[in-house]
């Protein structure tokens, strides 16, 4: 069974950067690997996803600021967060799903992902 452990969250000023990591174990090939976030009182929303071929997709709100990547040799999924805004404040989660969930708009729907980490908090001060 795949296990996911996120790290790298923290508190930064607006305009700052963070890099989130998700270490995974029990990984099998052809997964859709994704980052979601959830702010207090809001629904969990898809931020970025990457498929087994390395193709990426992003929510419109983070395009040009966030970058998803993966290191298959080290079993780590990353999310680089640049030009952070207070609206980016949320708990960030990594999640895995079968490869076909990377097709839009599936990857935006958290109910399509069954394997989740515990989350890492990102707080952006204005």
């Amino acid at each position: 069974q795949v296990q996911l452990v996120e790290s790298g969250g923290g508190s930064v000023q607006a305009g700052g950067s963070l890099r989130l990591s998700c270490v995974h174990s029990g990984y099998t090939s052809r997964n859709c690997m994704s980052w979601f976030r959830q702010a207090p009182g809001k629904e969990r929303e898809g931020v970025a996803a990457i498929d087994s071929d390395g193709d990426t997709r992003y929510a419109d709100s983070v395009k040009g600021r966030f970058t998803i990547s993966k290191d298959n040799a080290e079993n780590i999924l990353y999310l680089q967060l640049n030009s952070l805004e207070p609206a980016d404040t949320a708990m960030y989660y990594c999640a895995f799903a079968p490869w076909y969930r990377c097709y839009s708009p599936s990857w935006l729907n958290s109910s399509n992902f069954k394997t989740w980490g515990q989350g890492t908090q990102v707080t952006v001060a204005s």
Side-chain angles (χ1 to χ4, degrees):
Q1 182 160 349
V2 178
Q3 293 184 322
L4 310 176
V5 180
E6 302 97 332
S7 63
S11 297
V12 297
Q13 295 289 107
S17 297
L18 286 170
R19 188 174 79 159
L20 308 184
S21 299
C22 172
V23 177
H24 54 89
S25 61
Y27 170 81
T28 57
S29 62
R30 305 200 75 199
N31 274 303
C32 180
M33 305 167 73
S34 181
W35 287 96
F36 284 79
R37 66 185 181 186
Q38 188 167 20
K42 294 190 176 181
E43 291 187 358
R44 194 167 293 191
E45 63 174 353
V47 174
I50 186 167
D51 64 23
S52 56
D53 294 327
D55 294 328
T56 59
R57 18 344 229 133
Y58 297 93
D60 288 343
S61 58
V62 306
K63 271 181 190 174
R65 301 189 299 122
F66 291 7
T67 303
I68 189 171
S69 62
K70 60 180 179 172
D71 184 332
N72 289 336
E74 297 294 331
N75 289 347
I76 303 176
L77 176 69
Y78 296 104
L79 186 67
Q80 178 68 41
L81 290 68
N82 296 330
S83 302
L84 281 162
E85 305 167 353
D88 296 317
T89 295
M91 186 71 80
Y92 283 72
Y93 301 88
C94 62
F96 282 14
W99 62 270
Y100 53 85
R101 291 301 185 191
C102 262
Y103 288 107
S104 184
S106 250
W107 74 269
L108 292 167
N109 187 341
S110 61
S111 66
N112 290 327
F113 289 76
K114 306 305 180 187
T115 304
W116 293 85
Q118 83 290 347
T120 186
Q121 177 68 37
V122 171
T123 302
V124 184
S126 57

